[in-house]
Amino acid sequence: MTGASAQSLVDDRPGDGIFRVRRAAFVEPALFERELERIFQRCWNYICHDSQVRERGQYVRGSIGRYPVFAIRGLDGEIRCFHDSCPHRGSMLTRGRSGVQPTITCRYHGWAFNADGRCIRVRGRDAGYSREALERLGTDLKPVARVASYRGFVFASLDPDVEDLETFLGGARPFVDLMADQSEEGMEVLKGESTYVMRANWKLQTENSTDGYHVATVHRNFAHTVRQREALAGEADDARARTEASRILDLESISSGGYDMGNGHMINWSDRGSPESAPLNEARGAIAARFGEGKARWMIDRGRTVTIFPNFFLNDVASTCIRLWRPVAVDLTEIDTWCLAPIGESAAARRARIRKYEDFFLPSSIAVPDDVRAMEVAHAGSLAAGGEAWNDLALGYATMVEGADDAARELGAAPLHSNPGRESETPFYAFWREWRRRMDGP
Amino acid sequence: MSGFDAALTAEAADLLYREAWHLDSRDWAAWLALYSEDAIFWAPAIAGEEGFSGDPDNDVSLIYLDRAGLEARIFRIEGRDSFASAPLPHTAHVVGNVRAAETKGAEIEVSATWLVNSFRRTDPPILRAGRYAYTLRRTAAGLAIARKTVYVLDDRIVGPIDIFNI
């Protein structure tokens, strides 16, 4: 299997109605190395939200595949991204995962750089280095080839020839906008971060992020647990504080769907059974006035997961979440999660948003640990027979339609294909076609 | 903590040890009975390099639960329907460095450190550590936990975190 092409791992025969993925795609170490090179080193990679680098000199550490990088707001206000590596002898420069360092000093030999990346000090420069040597070695920080921001979400790419970020995000942009447009004052990442570990391949998280089929099985316990809590707490609470569980337990009574947005991006959505439980509901009037009723319906009445190729998602279902999953090894993934909130929302909405975020999105919640377990077990089981067996992604094939459905048209979004129903696997085709294209491409 | 009271510390330590014992013994009802009706169980999240999240209404916490929330966690554990927590790991809490002092409002502030080892056949063992800050209240039935703050020191979390393994 070591030399397997992605072609032989993805059996995509639209004419025959067949789409299968060999489980080796998740467990084969040689493929993992190829993914770092073919996907992560060439793709746009999410680094941070601009609210995390508000001040000049404020930085956030990130990674592109295994490469350490950091984003920093420069003295001129521009967000840049640099390799987290001293030009002198390669030491990592950031002291922590985030912070403010208007002057970045390498702790090893004392070279210093300003937040724009310019070298401002080489210790012992005049005595020890010839002018020619300094010119040859290049003393400024090495920028990551491309940095771009879309609606506050900052991405970077190691490939100088990568397509524009807007082109890459393509059809997923209207769904990113649904997160970015929730407040006229902008969005902010809340204080309180979490990084957790999954002993499974990163692509299981990509699939699971858009997989609506597991919700009723893995998360029925979440729904039952919050219902139990709400019954114990009585009816006195603010409607916003209640968690809307009908989307999990009563799928037949709500509308839902899944889209292939092109370039490997996937959407999964479900109507909220009780939109008044959405913290954003207080802004309905203002949002409808700014964007129209259709977009207000998408922002408030529908929960959505927006999975951006290859390892990033925005989830606005129980609460608002940014999640990034980093490939560490073929069977090890580190996952970062942040709560993204509208600036200026009421104290009651903020409190409800945070409580619901804690309920679902953390390794200490009553949902994410069950997801992590599901993915770890999927990875372990995929090792059976050397990963030779197929995942046949046939679920929902018969109901898939070309192009948009009514809900997508309401947003002005243009899926390549739609599926009326969350419990379909057809949105995965978006990811796997892009994965194969990049893995086998030139 | 401002002062230190040896007799009070012994009394508070006994409560903390009993709580840890109930969790390790999976005696959830006895564990919950140690908490007052208005109790808050709070585990702040990591924020930045050296700090923790603050105001639970503005920052994200790992866990912020009232008594109904704690009861619901027990419901989840006992239901054995959570993929992550069935089978439950075996845990051993070690609570140490307990210090207690009375405060003005007749409440008792307690600080302590903790270690929890968790074992489950299918997983590598997990060792976690942190600090506790308790507010205890004297009731007719003895000391009750009015507030428990759990500082979890891991900033790269392995395995699920729940009320029984921190």
Side-chain angles (χ1 to χ4, degrees), chain A residues 333-405:
Chain A
T333 304
E334 282 182 359
I335 305 175
D336 292 326
T337 176
W338 300 271
C339 184
L340 184 70
I343 296 172
E345 69 181 333
S346 72
R350 176 62 57 93
R351 178 185 161 84
R353 181 182 307 282
I354 290 171
R355 290 291 89 78
K356 288 194 249 198
Y357 175 84
E358 292 157 357
D359 274 349
F360 204 95
F361 291 109
L362 293 173
S364 46
S365 75
I366 53 176
V368 150
D370 296 330
D371 281 317
V372 170
R373 190 73 188 159
M375 293 182 278
E376 290 181 342
V377 168
H379 187 102
S382 294
L383 290 165
E388 281 299 314
W390 294 94
N391 284 348
D392 193 321
L393 304 175
L395 181 69
Y397 182 84
T399 53
M400 183 173 71
V401 295
E402 293 299 310
D405 61 6

Side-chain angles (χ1 to χ4, degrees), chain A residues 96-97 191 193 195-197 199 220-221 225 229 334 350-351 354-355 358 362-364 366 369-370 373, chain B residues 46 48-49 56-58 60-62 64 69 71-73 76 81-84 120 122-123 156-157 161:
Chain A
R97 50 191 278 174
K191 189 173 165 184
E193 55 215 29
T195 297
Y196 56 99
V197 174
R199 291 180 299 131
R220 70 173 176 234
N221 177 264
T225 302
R229 189 177 67 210
E334 282 182 359
R350 176 62 57 93
R351 178 185 161 84
I354 290 171
R355 290 291 89 78
E358 292 157 357
L362 293 173
S364 46
I366 53 176
D370 296 330
R373 190 73 188 159
Chain B
I46 294 279
E49 281 316 292
D57 288 350
N58 278 305
V60 169
S61 302
L62 287 178
Y64 186 83
E71 282 188 59
R73 289 282 178 141
R76 168 174 159 92
D81 189 41
S82 153
F83 206 165
R120 184 160 75 167
T122 49
D123 301 331
R156 180 178 176 273
I157 292 168
I161 284 182

